Amino acid sequence: MEQNIFQIIWFILWGVLWAVYFTLDGFDFGLGMLLPFIAKNDVDRRVIYNAAGPFWDGNEVWLITAGGATFAAFPKTYAVMFSALYTPLLLILFALILRGVAFEFRAKEESPVWKGIWDLCLVVGSFLPALLFGVAFANFFQGLPIDWQGIMHGNTLSLLNPYGLLGGLLFVMMFIVHGALWLTIKSNGALKRRAKKVAESFWVIEMLLVIIFLVATGFFTDLWVNFFRYKWLLIIPALALLGFVAIPGFLAYGSYWKAWFSSALAILMTTAFGVAGLFPRLIPSSLNPDWSLTIYNSSSSPLTLKIMTAVALIFVPIVILYQCWTYKTFSEKVKPEFLETEEAY
Amino acid sequence: MLDVVLLSRLQFAVASLFHFLFVPLTLGLSILTAIFETLYVKTGDEDYLRAAKFWGKLFLINFALGVVTGITLEFQFGTNWSKYSMYVGDIFGSLLAIEATLAFFLESTFIAVWHFGWNRLSPKLHALSIWLVAIASNISALWILLANGWMQHPVGYTIRNGRAELTNFLEVVTNPFGWMEFMHTVSGAYILAGFFVLGISAWHLRRKREVTFFKKCFKVAAVWTLVFALFEVFNGHLHGSEVAKAQPTKLAAMESLWETKQGAPMYLLVIPDEEHERNKLELFPIPGMLSLLAYHDPGATVKGLKEWPEEERPPVALTFWSFRLMVGLGFLFAALSLWVFWKRNNPEEAPWLLRILPWVIPLPYLACELGWMVAEVGRQPWIVYGLMKTSKAVSPIAPAQVGISLLAFILVYTLLGLVDFYLLFKFARKGPSAKKTLAAPSSINA
């Protein structure tokens, strides 16, 4: 197939969609994972649910769009990515189903057993996707054992290799810190102090994992090659590190929003780092570099890409605009009075 | 021996039929809730505000499962139907992506705005947010059905580079088959939502609870249901003649017509006998009726199933019975909606109607599911009609993988479905909140 500029545009958009998804749903996952460790009573738990309340659903759509964009722009990659990762992907889907209904159902009955069940769904439904997305993307970075037809040679357990697990742990840790920072913004009093403490102490592990990940990436993958070929790309990992490093500084000064934005920058740029390192591949083959799925051998027709570019350039900015408005409208803390209303989770 | 194709088909059937237990109510009740809230903004009548809150609460319980089960459907094309995805992703994938970008974002963002925004937005802006949800969910249906319409009747493509590639986007988005499906599906959804509101209102009216409140709800839903129940009969017929044009094998299976006939009659009572390629029973013929309905000409020739080799025919009995039952239910809804409309101002004086209506609630659900059975089973053995066989479309995955996930789907979906319907029951029976505990939008300063 001929090469065209739209393939590159869609590669960038593909990366942006996943990066935004991880950044946004990342804090929801973090909140969910923190629930059993940071909440001392039912009020705390409800604050955590409602801290994600107006946002989680809109955040999740970035995943649908990232998936849909993969399907539309790179159908062959979509087909291989989702069928090769059949089991982990279905686990993610089930987890997301349980998480979603946990939000909606938990407050609908008073019984502690009922609430306990949905709390468990929220925790598992947040932890599993965080871990498995990390594992999946780390495996993309190092390449999947796919043959020339895109058939995977290996099973689900082979994804749980050291680098894959490292990616999973990194995602879990990034999201825990990200969620804890969100909670410092949305809560008050003792809960806020605990959230701050969690953010501070988990940040140390997060930082450690980031450094190990960046170094391990040099050993297990060839992502760094692109960065040494095009030196200006180094701005991406530099910004990621800047974001990570800035978190404790802002926290110490009580600038919680800035700390959260630093964490957001770090997650965005960490994803961007992986994606930029893949270029022009979407899923490298670990069996033979010629079998890798690239933007050139897996893209849609130029006509489809053109139409999709027009759709994305018009509508994605509009989406960003109204989602920003939502974040602004619901930017204040979760107040105890709000928990009294019938619409609270 | 269960193979990947069959298991994947079963899984898709479970996932989509389950998803569609929640979609129609979302499509219809979002608009009805928006209408109630608009009536409140226009008239200041607090009952309409309570109606928006009451039906909105049921809407949210239903919406949660609709959303989360929809994600599964999008990703199943990749997990289970990867060859299909590679072959038609150029067209089909873009329709799904457009749906997410245009509609799903809007719907999911503003449902949260509506849910959490009672005390933060002006009444007008708050009503606008539920209208955005309603519009977005219906636009979403349009793109999904254009995508399905393309599988039913592929247009605007050419075979190039070993796959179907888009040549004419306009043709794809104006595909008459897709638009017919859209009108037929959303009208069905509106009927379902209408009988949902009528049934629950009737249940309370019969018990003399919140009579003024539920009479108002009843009246709005009565007009609404009549409009769409009648429209559905009309567009169902149009949809049928579109099927006759585009998918002759499906039409023949819907009518269990084995032999090609000129001036084909319609038998009111038919029992198909698939094994012997005939009907066990054919009674009460209306001469020329099938030809008339299908081609608007009582003398037209309708092709029978025997025109095609057996491996190109859909399962006949399943398609036939699903279609018959759906059509029968459609006429029942039209009749009931006339009765309801007649009693719209004084439903409390029609005890039999009030007694029947709660039991009618499940019937439109059944009709919607049957409609999908006709659409999807009747399209077999094709995944894209005339272009790609379902058996050639599956992923290179192991039967065990699909077997396990299918069991997981059945288990998780059954449990969640039970919980969801339990909650719908619970809050439907509870009725609206009492007047004084209720906060109007912006009555509390945030």
Side-chain angles (χ1 to χ4, degrees), chain B residues 66-118:
Chain B
V67 170
V68 292
T69 53
I71 306 175
T72 325
L73 280 185
E74 189 199 12
F75 288 153
Q76 266 202 73
F77 293 108
T79 53
N80 293 65
W81 306 98
S82 67
K83 296 220 174 92
Y84 166 82
S85 301
M86 284 186 208
Y87 196 66
V88 304
D90 199 60
I91 300 147
F92 188 84
S94 52
L95 295 173
L96 292 196
I98 292 173
E99 184 265 344
T101 321
L102 246 70
F104 203 30
F105 265 124
L106 196 64
E107 183 183 8
S108 295
T109 308
F110 281 92
I111 191 61
V113 170
W114 185 80
H115 182 175
F116 290 93
W118 285 103

Side-chain angles (χ1 to χ4, degrees), chain A residues 63-100:
Chain A
L63 170 65
I64 322 268
T65 309
T70 316
F71 199 172
F74 306 109
K76 197 169 174 194
T77 297
Y78 168 82
V80 172
M81 184 172 169
F82 288 64
S83 60
L85 302 184
Y86 187 89
T87 305
L89 193 83
L90 279 159
L91 281 173
I92 289 177
L93 291 178
F94 281 118
L96 290 176
I97 288 174
L98 293 179
R99 176 188 76 138

